[in-house]
Amino acid sequence: IGDVVLSRQLFTCADLARPNEVTMWVYDHSGNKSSCKSIITVHDTIKPVITPVANVVVTVPPGKCTTKIDYPVLHVTDNCGVYLEKLEGLGADGNFPVGATTRETWKATNPGGSSAQVSFTVTVNTTNGAPVMTQVPDVTVPEDAAVFEVSLSGISYGPDCVPQQILSLDMTNSNPSLISIEKIYLAGEASGKLKITPLKNMNGEAVVTLTLKDNGGTANGGVDTSVFTFKVTVTPVNDV
C-alpha cells in the first residue's frame, strides 16, 4: 500500500448524533486505487460540569412579604455547550416568600444527551415589626365627672407577614389618687376599652401608659413591644 486518504478526519460537536459519511481511498505503488465509504457517528460521552452553588439567605424588613434576590450565576462547562433547564424553584425572576426556604434545581444537558444537576436553597428571613394600636387622644373632664370609657382599637401584631399573636396589653396609671381605671381587654382581640372613674373632689392630671406586646420576639433586632400614652386632665370645679 502506497497511501491511504480519508475524505475527512476531524469531527466536531456539529457532527453529533447524525450520520457522517467518510470515503477512504487506498493507493498502491503502481497507482492503482480502491475506495470504500463508511458512516461515522459521533457520540459525546463527557458529562457537563456545574459548579456547586452556595445556599442563599437574605433578610428583609418587616412587612415585606416577598423579595427578589441577587440570583446566583450558574457556571457550566462542557465540550459541546449545554441547554439549561429549571426543574424546581422560582428562578432568577422569582419573588421569594418571607419565612420560607425555596429549593432551586437546575439541569444542564449537552447535545449528546449527557446531563448534570445542581441544587441550592433560598431562605428569606425577616425581623419582628412592632405591634400597633390606634393612638388614644388626651381626655379632659370636669371634677366629679361621671364614669366614662375610652375605646382601644386597631390592636394588632403590626406589619409582619407571618401571623403572630398579641400576648398582653398592660396599663399603668401615673396618678391613682386622681382616677381609677378598669381595663377591659381580652388578649388577641383587636379592640378593648378602659373604664375611668374620676375620684371625688380631685383634680389634676394623670398619664395613662399602655404597653402592647406580641409573640414575634426580638431576634436580629426585632421589636415585640410598643408603648402608647395619653393624658387625662380633670379640671377643678368651684363647689359653691
Side-chain angles (χ1 to χ4, degrees):
I1 294 176
D3 196 9
V4 176
V5 177
L6 294 174
S7 60
R8 63 178 299 189
Q9 300 181 52
L10 179 64
F11 298 88
T12 69
C13 294
D15 300 309
L16 283 172
R18 65 184 180 88
N20 299 280
E21 185 178 272
V22 177
T23 301
M24 181 176 67
W25 293 274
V26 179
Y27 298 85
D28 64 15
H29 294 289
S30 299
N32 300 310
K33 69 176 182 178
S34 181
S35 67
C36 65
K37 296 180 183 292
S38 295
I39 300 298
I40 305 298
T41 302
V42 180
H43 296 285
D44 181 5
T45 60
I46 302 174
K47 286 187 174 184
V49 176
I50 307 180
T51 302
V53 178
N55 294 333
V56 178
V57 179
V58 297
T59 300
V60 298
K64 188 171 185 180
C65 300
T66 62
T67 186
K68 293 187 179 298
I69 65 167
D70 290 330
Y71 204 83
V73 176
L74 301 180
H75 295 282
V76 186
T77 56
D78 186 80
N79 57 323
C80 287
V82 296
Y83 166 72
L84 273 174
E85 175 188 9
K86 178 168 63 65
L87 299 182
E88 63 177 333
L90 300 178
D93 296 324
N95 286 301
F96 291 84
V98 72
T101 295
T102 305
R103 183 176 177 85
E104 302 283 300
T105 299
W106 289 84
K107 180 180 180 181
T109 305
N110 65 21
S114 297
S115 65
Q117 294 185 17
V118 66
S119 294
F120 60 95
T121 59
V122 177
T123 302
V124 182
N125 297 321
T126 189
T127 57
N128 183 27
V132 298
M133 67 177 292
T134 303
Q135 176 63 49
V136 178
D138 294 339
V139 180
T140 300
V141 297
E143 185 179 319
D144 298 330
V147 176
F148 62 94
E149 293 182 351
V150 170
S151 296
L152 307 177
S153 63
I155 300 170
S156 165
Y157 55 77
D160 304 284
C161 300
V162 178
Q164 299 174 10
Q165 292 180 335
I166 295 296
L167 298 179
S168 61
L169 174 59
D170 295 328
M171 183 273 302
T172 60
N173 172 12
S174 70
N175 194 351
S177 64
L178 176 68
I179 55 174
S180 66
I181 305 177
E182 178 188 359
K183 180 186 70 177
I184 302 173
Y185 176 71
L186 180 63
E189 295 295 321
S191 62
K193 61 183 178 181
L194 301 177
K195 187 176 289 187
I196 301 177
T197 303
L199 300 184
K200 189 172 180 60
N201 297 323
M202 299 298 295
N203 58 75
E205 293 181 348
V207 175
V208 181
T209 301
L210 301 168
T211 302
L212 192 61
K213 184 179 178 67
D214 65 25
N215 68 339
T218 58
N220 301 315
V223 180
D224 66 355
T225 302
S226 294
V227 177
F228 304 86
T229 63
F230 68 96
K231 184 167 59 177
V232 176
T233 302
V234 180
T235 58
V237 173
N238 188 7
D239 296 328
V240 177

